[in-house]
Amino acid sequence: MNRFFISVLTLLITLTTMSLQAENLFFKPFEGTAHGTIPFSQIDDSLWMPAIDRGIELARQEVDAITKQRTRPDFENTIVALERVGEDLNRVLGAFYPLLSANSSDAMMEVAVEASRKLSDYSTSLILNEELWKLGVTAKTQHNEVAPAQHELAPIYSQVNVAVDHHQMSTHVEAVLLTLIPRCHQVS
């Protein structure tokens, strides 16, 4: 009897999850609006995180497909392909951040905090993806203007706002590493 109850409960949870995913308007093209614009009046705060999570997962799969390709890397199958990575995620974020800015709520702020952590992890995984580096995707820029020795991580396939985040993260990592250098010299 107990196993039957657990099986039925598991089935109900699975069906409910599938139903919620099927109803998430970010999982399909926007329909019923002029020119396929975002139907803001149909958006519920419960839709954001599942859509962001799905967008990140799809983007990771797209990057994996690029790094695992068997053809010789070229501009089209690497750089252009990377430029297209994350279109689903960008679609969700393109609705979320303007709405957050214009009509924020406590629930949306909670989503923003959680999404920020997940997006930071995702961005870091792109920056540190050794397989992309092997394909020749540049992630290091040297400045010759004010600070000739300054280097930063600046993937050439990033959108501007993401590239700024990369720079902020790499600056933070550099600051942490600089605090560790004296300790390393003490050990040796």
Side-chain angles (χ1 to χ4, degrees):
M1 179 73 172
N2 227 2
R3 287 183 183 187
F4 175 75
F5 178 72
I6 292 173
S7 297
V8 169
L9 184 60
T10 303
L11 179 63
L12 286 174
I13 291 171
T14 303
L15 290 174
T16 302
T17 303
M18 289 172 56
S19 172
L20 289 174
Q21 288 179 346
E23 293 174 13
N24 193 319
L25 63 95
F26 290 106
F27 293 177
K28 58 186 181 202
F30 299 136
E31 297 173 354
T33 60
H35 310 290
T37 56
I38 303 167
F40 286 105
S41 63
Q42 297 174 22
I43 297 175
D44 179 80
D45 289 339
S46 66
L47 302 177
W48 294 117
M49 280 317 302
I52 291 170
D53 288 340
R54 178 178 177 267
I56 290 171
E57 182 55 35
L58 290 173
R60 286 184 194 278
Q61 291 172 10
E62 293 165 349
V63 170
D64 285 345
I66 293 167
T67 60
K68 290 179 172 123
Q69 66 186 336
R70 296 201 182 271
T71 59
R72 185 169 189 236
D74 60 27
F75 185 80
E76 197 65 36
N77 68 16
T78 304
I79 304 302
V80 173
L82 283 167
E83 190 63 32
R84 292 187 182 122
V85 165
E87 288 181 353
D88 283 5
L89 179 59
N90 290 337
R91 188 167 161 256
V92 175
L93 298 178
F96 177 72
Y97 284 115
L99 195 56
L100 176 68
S101 178
N103 192 24
S104 182
S105 67
D106 289 343
M108 287 188 74
M109 290 303 291
E110 288 176 19
V111 170
V113 168
E114 185 177 352
S116 176
R117 181 183 55 77
K118 290 181 177 188
L119 292 167
S120 177
D121 290 346
Y122 166 67
S123 294
T124 301
S125 73
L126 286 181
I127 292 171
L128 301 177
N129 187 322
E130 290 182 27
E131 297 304 314
L132 286 176
W133 289 51
K134 288 176 187 175
L135 292 175
V137 177
T138 309
K140 185 176 180 182
T141 305
Q142 183 172 357
H143 293 273
N144 291 321
E145 304 89 26
V146 178
Q150 179 184 356
H151 292 80
E152 70 179 49
L153 291 170
I156 59 175
Y157 54 86
S158 292
Q159 294 181 356
V160 174
N161 59 340
V162 176
V164 170
D165 289 341
H166 291 168
H167 177 67
Q168 290 172 344
M169 285 188 292
S170 63
T171 302
H172 175 71
V173 169
E174 181 182 4
V176 170
L177 290 175
L178 288 174
T179 64
L180 296 175
I181 290 173
R183 293 180 197 161
C184 293
H185 289 293
Q186 292 172 359
V187 174
S188 56

